[in-house]
Amino acid sequence: MEKETSRLGTVGGPRLMAVAILAVTLVGAGVLRFGGLTAAGPGAPAAVPAVNTQQQAELAALAPGDRPDGCIQPDRRIQLYAVELPRDNNQIRLGYGLTPETASYPGPLIEMIEGECLAITLHNDVPAATLEALRQDPNHPLGVSLHTHGVKYTPASDGTIHTDSWVPPGGQRTYIWFAKPRGAGSQGTAGYWWYHDHMVGGPHGTRGQGTGLFGGLVVRRQGDIRPNRTYVTAFGDLQSINLKRGAATDTCDPANPVPGPTCLIAKPGERVEFLVIGMGNDMHTFHLHGHSWSDSRTGMLDGTNKALADAVPVIDNKALGPGDSFGVTVVAGDSVGAGNWMLHCHMQFHSDQGMATMLHVLQPDGTLAPHSADHAPAAASDATAAHAGHEGAHQ
Amino acid sequence: MEKETSRLGTVGGPRLMAVAILAVTLVGAGVLRFGGLTAAGPGAPAAVPAVNTQQQAELAALAPGDRPDGCIQPDRRIQLYAVELPRDNNQIRLGYGLTPETASYPGPLIEMIEGECLAITLHNDVPAATLEALRQDPNHPLGVSLHTHGVKYTPASDGTIHTDSWVPPGGQRTYIWFAKPRGAGSQGTAGYWWYHDHMVGGPHGTRGQGTGLFGGLVVRRQGDIRPNRTYVTAFGDLQSINLKRGAATDTCDPANPVPGPTCLIAKPGERVEFLVIGMGNDMHTFHLHGHSWSDSRTGMLDGTNKALADAVPVIDNKALGPGDSFGVTVVAGDSVGAGNWMLHCHMQFHSDQGMATMLHVLQPDGTLAPHSADHAPAAASDATAAHAGHEGAHQ
Amino acid sequence: MEKETSRLGTVGGPRLMAVAILAVTLVGAGVLRFGGLTAAGPGAPAAVPAVNTQQQAELAALAPGDRPDGCIQPDRRIQLYAVELPRDNNQIRLGYGLTPETASYPGPLIEMIEGECLAITLHNDVPAATLEALRQDPNHPLGVSLHTHGVKYTPASDGTIHTDSWVPPGGQRTYIWFAKPRGAGSQGTAGYWWYHDHMVGGPHGTRGQGTGLFGGLVVRRQGDIRPNRTYVTAFGDLQSINLKRGAATDTCDPANPVPGPTCLIAKPGERVEFLVIGMGNDMHTFHLHGHSWSDSRTGMLDGTNKALADAVPVIDNKALGPGDSFGVTVVAGDSVGAGNWMLHCHMQFHSDQGMATMLHVLQPDGTLAPHSADHAPAAASDATAAHAGHEGAHQ
């Protein structure tokens, strides 16, 4: 059987969920540290967001038709805030956060396990004037939304204008996501997905995504091995990775690197998972030096099924278009050790313009291996890249 | 074994073939109705095109070298007409049809079963003056052709200029396609393919495809479950789906929707199959809201092979380039019920310009679920999109 | 088990390696003839490049950290020369060769077997003035490098500027590649890869690749069937295949065709392997008439695992972006016989501009089947296409 021994064991109860929320929070705040995800066990302290009784009532009032079949009652709920971040060079930047203060792009990584039902209450804290500035069509209403890929949701949780499932400024709305398990007639929902706005600017949320309203969603199957680290790398317009490019993609302090969206680090031997997302208007390719992966659901097969292992390609470069998302799992430094491994788009004019960062496989003392020259051709300010639009597609 | 119980049973004889022709005819004419494909059984009435004795003689006269090895005698034959459709805003539009009167784009869906050999007689009813207007090079001869993907054919059925396998105005030519079965050393031909002109305009048929000479071909394997409905969605230049965009992609009457290329509907629980095709000059991505599929041959695994089901990704967005084609199978409304589910290219400037339609999962009374706003930003006339060319690739 | 009987038998010793080097040499020199790869057995004469004792000393002096874990001692070593080829229409052209005299683009095909460790000494024979003319940034140092995909290498063999693993004019450097086998926790490295410069022009080697510094690398798994022929087809900028387009892609003499990068021929029934590579700035699609393949690691499954064979798509068109590489294996003329089968990018404006060649499946007398018209719209000089850059991405 092409499966791997579970480190999750028989998890799934409320205590694990609390831990999962903790992990998500840490990732979202950019302070996930060594062992954060794996060290946290059922006994670890958990920072569960308080459940607002008004919100509980709202949830209970949802019509049965607003819940996907199989989801009787949400197993957990989280709050998500869409906020405006400080402008950079006068460019508008938005972000999702588990709290208004921790909003960022990418937004918090959300993890689910097949079978789980999640309620997410989205609060639109973005000023109406900001949404108006981003509007592509004066008749389009002002609002933000939450649209997700991969999991099951009814039209009421679609996050689109035609289903009236968006949130006006100052409002809130609860979305229900169901990670339907594999079963008779169902392919399951385990996968590497993303969520994003589908409302800012126009009916496809082009301006919402381009200014930062996106994040990663991983749905695991019971038995999947948990990675030691997960990084979201969204490849988008203006040759950006997570709307950054050039020197802005890699801000690691060589002596004291702190993992986060702009500091990709791992200890040798750690299992590192990338959630690769395509956004915007262009095709890109995800390429990582010194590492390769299986072009399969999780990016890693255990090899017990030889026929499968012989048939599935092992790759180190994968093309992706907007809307695509996939998982890449590697063992950091496997066979090659510590080093600064380029991670870049292999479209040459994209990498030449700064669509490149590094996976730093650390030395034993936890510092970056030295390197002699910058991989990044030039610093590009965050804001320059954050304002993605069609006009920049082939600049 | 990762297979599914056959509803085809031991089919394959002449009576089923006649039924298949009926189904194709109905799809081509855009009047496929509920249960049309599945309700028709071996006993159903069949409208088999009359076999012209002159054509029979022509077929019998084919040299053995004109038939793929394994195809002694065609199991059935169909007539295909390439015609000019009425112009729209002065734009030239062409189409293939099982009769001249029913020509359309996409052309008729052709279904085969591995092992079958098919003879198709193409009649070129397109006026020479029209072909001349589309010609890119004054030295290129005037003609149309039929080139197909996936199945086996000799050079005489290649549909290209260098093989002399094209049809001048007023002429006809018989092409032989063999759906070679999987066997020793052969990978089989079951798949989701397309056929198209390879002659109009220049040696690659760019203008023929861009004006409408294309259609879908599905080759099934013995044992494959038949879908309840099949829709062809060809993603092409000028942000078009089947050379339409904006309001023209979705013409469903909400109270009485009739399925067809511009009205994608299904009852909850029906097995819906999309044949997704890439045409023209650009990359696109096929994305469907609320549904996902297995990235496998048919788009659905039955899960009996757990290792395979664990390894194959489940996706809801897939990039495709010109020439690519793949199958997507979903259970309409699985777990999420009736609703109006967006189907669009996730390249943001493509969807913003109208490369979007909907899969309408119907209410119990057969009508569309209500929705509050149009998903399509603006109506684009059919003709505007039909004239695809390089100049429009990144407009 | 989805595997195929090995023709390699128990190979892996030094004598086979010598033969492999011979085969590589012949491919690189463009003189691979019928049966060249398969007829050569352990007893065949081998032209092993002499091992320079100075180079041996250099190799022995490599620090342990410069060798991937698992590679104690290289199993073989080859010399690789980066040279400037004669200009064509004043365009700079570079190439890799096993000798300076046989340098070409694509460079020599390198074959490895999982478990093998290879030492490649790169000699930079490109004049400094030429490198200066290609430089995108006056601060970027002058040098060439060897970066590879798929196999394992330490930072010292990365071929990048930040790892100081490049070669100044007149210098040499030894790179160590390890084809790590599949095993506990490792996905293996068997696959269809490519190697290329990562230094000429700027930190991503854009100008090096665009002028010819690239080649194919195939890593086989023990038990893989060897093909009768292997062709490298790199799809790149300016609508080029191996930096050629139009008439320059196909230079076969009809009466006496000699296989090589611009003359793709095979006898009916031969197992032909394509190593398809994406380079430059654009997406392309690889399409072959009359043949199809399994979208799996080698492009061919033996079908003994029915579930797998039912699930893996069979395709005849595949999109690829820069950095991507994959293998396609077909049986030449299977079921369709001798003929001139188009091999082209299906992006219409690419094929229209000459991104097309042919696989010629030969007649019994070894000549090309006749055909009535050229597939190539116009001759494009080699040099016109060789100078690839961003500006030409969408011309």
Short mmCIF file of all heavy atoms in Angstrom, two decimals, chain A residues 41-78:
data_model
loop_
_atom_site.label_atom_id
_atom_site.label_comp_id
_atom_site.label_asym_id
_atom_site.label_seq_id
_atom_site.Cartn_x
_atom_site.Cartn_y
_atom_site.Cartn_z
N GLY A 41 1.99 18.67 20.95
CA GLY A 41 1.19 17.45 21.04
C GLY A 41 -0.13 17.74 21.71
O GLY A 41 -0.43 18.89 22.03
N PRO A 42 -0.89 16.71 21.94
CA PRO A 42 -2.19 16.90 22.57
C PRO A 42 -2.10 17.61 23.93
O PRO A 42 -3.05 18.26 24.36
CB PRO A 42 -2.72 15.48 22.73
CG PRO A 42 -2.04 14.72 21.62
CD PRO A 42 -0.68 15.34 21.50
N GLY A 43 -0.94 17.51 24.57
CA GLY A 43 -0.85 18.13 25.88
C GLY A 43 -0.36 19.56 25.86
O GLY A 43 -0.29 20.21 26.90
N ALA A 44 0.01 20.05 24.70
CA ALA A 44 0.57 21.40 24.62
C ALA A 44 -0.50 22.45 24.87
O ALA A 44 -1.68 22.22 24.64
CB ALA A 44 1.19 21.61 23.25
N PRO A 45 -0.08 23.59 25.35
CA PRO A 45 -1.05 24.66 25.59
C PRO A 45 -1.64 25.14 24.27
O PRO A 45 -0.96 25.19 23.27
CB PRO A 45 -0.21 25.76 26.25
CG PRO A 45 1.18 25.50 25.81
CD PRO A 45 1.29 24.02 25.64
N ALA A 46 -2.87 25.48 24.29
CA ALA A 46 -3.56 25.86 23.07
C ALA A 46 -4.24 27.21 23.25
O ALA A 46 -4.88 27.47 24.26
CB ALA A 46 -4.61 24.82 22.70
N ALA A 47 -4.05 28.06 22.24
CA ALA A 47 -4.67 29.38 22.29
C ALA A 47 -5.90 29.37 21.40
O ALA A 47 -5.85 29.75 20.25
CB ALA A 47 -3.69 30.44 21.83
N VAL A 48 -6.98 28.86 21.89
CA VAL A 48 -8.20 28.76 21.10
C VAL A 48 -8.90 30.12 21.12
O VAL A 48 -9.17 30.65 22.20
CB VAL A 48 -9.15 27.69 21.68
CG1 VAL A 48 -10.33 27.49 20.75
CG2 VAL A 48 -8.40 26.39 21.90
N PRO A 49 -9.19 30.66 19.95
CA PRO A 49 -9.94 31.90 19.94
C PRO A 49 -11.27 31.73 20.67
O PRO A 49 -11.96 30.72 20.51
CB PRO A 49 -10.17 32.15 18.44
CG PRO A 49 -9.12 31.36 17.73
CD PRO A 49 -8.85 30.18 18.61
N ALA A 50 -11.60 32.68 21.45
CA ALA A 50 -12.86 32.61 22.18
C ALA A 50 -14.03 32.58 21.21
O ALA A 50 -14.01 33.26 20.18
CB ALA A 50 -12.99 33.83 23.09
N VAL A 51 -15.00 31.78 21.50
CA VAL A 51 -16.17 31.71 20.64
C VAL A 51 -17.21 32.71 21.12
O VAL A 51 -17.72 32.62 22.24
CB VAL A 51 -16.77 30.29 20.62
CG1 VAL A 51 -18.02 30.27 19.76
CG2 VAL A 51 -15.75 29.30 20.11
N ASN A 52 -17.45 33.66 20.29
CA ASN A 52 -18.42 34.72 20.54
C ASN A 52 -19.82 34.10 20.58
O ASN A 52 -20.21 33.36 19.67
CB ASN A 52 -18.28 35.71 19.37
CG ASN A 52 -19.19 36.89 19.50
OD1 ASN A 52 -20.33 36.75 19.89
ND2 ASN A 52 -18.66 38.04 19.14
N THR A 53 -20.58 34.39 21.63
CA THR A 53 -21.89 33.75 21.72
C THR A 53 -22.83 34.25 20.63
O THR A 53 -23.68 33.51 20.14
CB THR A 53 -22.54 33.98 23.11
OG1 THR A 53 -22.52 35.40 23.35
CG2 THR A 53 -21.79 33.25 24.19
N GLN A 54 -22.65 35.51 20.24
CA GLN A 54 -23.48 36.00 19.14
C GLN A 54 -23.19 35.21 17.87
O GLN A 54 -24.08 34.87 17.10
CB GLN A 54 -23.19 37.49 18.91
CG GLN A 54 -24.06 38.11 17.79
CD GLN A 54 -23.22 38.50 16.59
OE1 GLN A 54 -22.12 39.02 16.73
NE2 GLN A 54 -23.75 38.25 15.40
N GLN A 55 -21.90 34.90 17.68
CA GLN A 55 -21.53 34.14 16.49
C GLN A 55 -22.06 32.71 16.56
O GLN A 55 -22.47 32.14 15.56
CB GLN A 55 -20.01 34.14 16.33
CG GLN A 55 -19.49 35.50 15.86
CD GLN A 55 -18.02 35.70 16.14
OE1 GLN A 55 -17.40 34.88 16.80
NE2 GLN A 55 -17.48 36.82 15.67
N GLN A 56 -22.04 32.15 17.77
CA GLN A 56 -22.60 30.81 17.93
C GLN A 56 -24.07 30.79 17.53
O GLN A 56 -24.54 29.88 16.85
CB GLN A 56 -22.46 30.34 19.38
CG GLN A 56 -21.20 29.54 19.61
CD GLN A 56 -21.12 29.01 21.03
OE1 GLN A 56 -21.66 29.64 21.94
NE2 GLN A 56 -20.46 27.89 21.21
N ALA A 57 -24.75 31.80 17.95
CA ALA A 57 -26.17 31.87 17.62
C ALA A 57 -26.36 31.98 16.11
O ALA A 57 -27.20 31.31 15.52
CB ALA A 57 -26.80 33.09 18.32
N GLU A 58 -25.54 32.83 15.51
CA GLU A 58 -25.61 33.01 14.06
C GLU A 58 -25.38 31.67 13.36
O GLU A 58 -26.08 31.31 12.41
CB GLU A 58 -24.53 34.01 13.63
CG GLU A 58 -24.39 34.18 12.14
CD GLU A 58 -22.99 34.64 11.75
OE1 GLU A 58 -22.12 34.77 12.65
OE2 GLU A 58 -22.77 34.83 10.55
N LEU A 59 -24.40 30.93 13.85
CA LEU A 59 -24.06 29.65 13.25
C LEU A 59 -25.22 28.66 13.38
O LEU A 59 -25.59 27.96 12.44
CB LEU A 59 -22.81 29.09 13.94
CG LEU A 59 -22.10 27.95 13.26
CD1 LEU A 59 -21.62 28.37 11.88
CD2 LEU A 59 -20.92 27.52 14.11
N ALA A 60 -25.79 28.64 14.59
CA ALA A 60 -26.90 27.72 14.82
C ALA A 60 -28.09 28.05 13.92
O ALA A 60 -28.89 27.18 13.59
CB ALA A 60 -27.31 27.78 16.30
N ALA A 61 -28.17 29.32 13.54
CA ALA A 61 -29.31 29.74 12.75
C ALA A 61 -29.17 29.42 11.26
O ALA A 61 -30.08 29.63 10.49
CB ALA A 61 -29.52 31.25 12.92
N LEU A 62 -28.01 28.95 10.88
CA LEU A 62 -27.81 28.64 9.46
C LEU A 62 -28.81 27.59 9.01
O LEU A 62 -29.06 26.61 9.69
CB LEU A 62 -26.40 28.08 9.23
CG LEU A 62 -25.24 29.08 9.22
CD1 LEU A 62 -23.93 28.34 9.05
CD2 LEU A 62 -25.43 30.10 8.10
N ALA A 63 -29.37 27.82 7.87
CA ALA A 63 -30.31 26.84 7.32
C ALA A 63 -29.57 25.57 6.97
O ALA A 63 -28.38 25.61 6.64
CB ALA A 63 -30.98 27.43 6.09
N PRO A 64 -30.23 24.41 7.05
CA PRO A 64 -29.58 23.16 6.67
C PRO A 64 -28.99 23.24 5.27
O PRO A 64 -27.93 22.69 4.99
CB PRO A 64 -30.69 22.12 6.75
CG PRO A 64 -31.71 22.72 7.66
CD PRO A 64 -31.62 24.21 7.48
N GLY A 65 -29.63 23.94 4.38
CA GLY A 65 -29.14 24.07 3.01
C GLY A 65 -27.85 24.84 2.91
O GLY A 65 -27.23 24.88 1.85
N ASP A 66 -27.45 25.48 3.99
CA ASP A 66 -26.19 26.23 3.97
C ASP A 66 -25.01 25.38 4.40
O ASP A 66 -23.90 25.87 4.50
CB ASP A 66 -26.29 27.46 4.88
CG ASP A 66 -27.26 28.50 4.30
OD1 ASP A 66 -27.56 28.40 3.10
OD2 ASP A 66 -27.71 29.35 5.06
N ARG A 67 -25.29 24.12 4.70
CA ARG A 67 -24.20 23.23 5.10
C ARG A 67 -24.07 22.10 4.08
O ARG A 67 -25.08 21.49 3.72
CB ARG A 67 -24.47 22.63 6.47
CG ARG A 67 -24.53 23.69 7.55
CD ARG A 67 -24.94 23.09 8.87
NE ARG A 67 -25.28 24.15 9.80
CZ ARG A 67 -25.83 23.97 10.99
NH1 ARG A 67 -26.11 22.74 11.40
NH2 ARG A 67 -26.10 24.99 11.76
N PRO A 68 -22.87 21.78 3.69
CA PRO A 68 -22.71 20.66 2.77
C PRO A 68 -23.23 19.38 3.40
O PRO A 68 -23.14 19.20 4.63
CB PRO A 68 -21.20 20.58 2.54
CG PRO A 68 -20.66 21.90 2.96
CD PRO A 68 -21.58 22.40 4.04
N ASP A 69 -23.75 18.52 2.60
CA ASP A 69 -24.23 17.23 3.07
C ASP A 69 -23.08 16.49 3.73
O ASP A 69 -22.00 16.37 3.16
CB ASP A 69 -24.75 16.44 1.87
CG ASP A 69 -25.49 15.18 2.30
OD1 ASP A 69 -26.15 15.23 3.34
OD2 ASP A 69 -25.38 14.18 1.57
N GLY A 70 -23.30 16.00 4.93
CA GLY A 70 -22.24 15.31 5.67
C GLY A 70 -21.68 16.17 6.79
O GLY A 70 -20.97 15.67 7.66
N CYS A 71 -22.00 17.43 6.77
CA CYS A 71 -21.51 18.35 7.79
C CYS A 71 -22.69 18.78 8.66
O CYS A 71 -23.38 19.75 8.35
CB CYS A 71 -20.86 19.56 7.12
SG CYS A 71 -20.50 20.92 8.24
N ILE A 72 -22.93 18.05 9.71
CA ILE A 72 -24.07 18.36 10.59
C ILE A 72 -23.75 19.59 11.42
O ILE A 72 -24.54 20.52 11.53
CB ILE A 72 -24.36 17.17 11.54
CG1 ILE A 72 -24.47 15.86 10.76
CG2 ILE A 72 -25.64 17.43 12.36
CD1 ILE A 72 -25.58 15.85 9.74
N GLN A 73 -22.57 19.58 11.98
CA GLN A 73 -22.20 20.62 12.94
C GLN A 73 -20.71 20.91 12.74
O GLN A 73 -19.91 19.98 12.70
CB GLN A 73 -22.45 20.10 14.37
CG GLN A 73 -22.11 21.04 15.47
CD GLN A 73 -23.04 22.26 15.49
OE1 GLN A 73 -24.18 22.16 15.08
NE2 GLN A 73 -22.54 23.38 15.94
N PRO A 74 -20.33 22.14 12.61
CA PRO A 74 -18.88 22.42 12.47
C PRO A 74 -18.08 21.86 13.64
O PRO A 74 -18.48 21.95 14.80
CB PRO A 74 -18.82 23.94 12.44
CG PRO A 74 -20.15 24.37 11.91
CD PRO A 74 -21.13 23.36 12.47
N ASP A 75 -16.95 21.26 13.33
CA ASP A 75 -16.07 20.70 14.35
C ASP A 75 -15.27 21.79 15.05
O ASP A 75 -14.82 21.62 16.17
CB ASP A 75 -15.10 19.71 13.71
CG ASP A 75 -15.82 18.52 13.12
OD1 ASP A 75 -16.43 17.77 13.89
OD2 ASP A 75 -15.81 18.37 11.89
N ARG A 76 -15.05 22.87 14.36
CA ARG A 76 -14.36 24.01 14.97
C ARG A 76 -14.70 25.25 14.17
O ARG A 76 -15.21 25.17 13.07
CB ARG A 76 -12.85 23.81 15.04
CG ARG A 76 -12.18 23.60 13.71
CD ARG A 76 -10.67 23.57 13.84
NE ARG A 76 -10.08 23.07 12.63
CZ ARG A 76 -9.02 23.59 12.02
NH1 ARG A 76 -8.39 24.64 12.57
NH2 ARG A 76 -8.55 23.10 10.90
N ARG A 77 -14.39 26.38 14.73
CA ARG A 77 -14.64 27.61 14.00
C ARG A 77 -13.48 28.57 14.22
O ARG A 77 -12.83 28.57 15.26
CB ARG A 77 -15.95 28.25 14.41
CG ARG A 77 -16.03 28.68 15.84
CD ARG A 77 -17.34 29.42 16.06
NE ARG A 77 -17.40 30.56 15.15
CZ ARG A 77 -18.52 31.02 14.60
NH1 ARG A 77 -19.67 30.47 14.86
NH2 ARG A 77 -18.48 32.06 13.81
N ILE A 78 -13.22 29.37 13.23
CA ILE A 78 -12.19 30.38 13.36
C ILE A 78 -12.73 31.72 12.86
O ILE A 78 -13.70 31.77 12.11
CB ILE A 78 -10.89 30.02 12.62
CG1 ILE A 78 -11.15 29.81 11.14
CG2 ILE A 78 -10.24 28.80 13.23
CD1 ILE A 78 -9.88 29.49 10.34
#
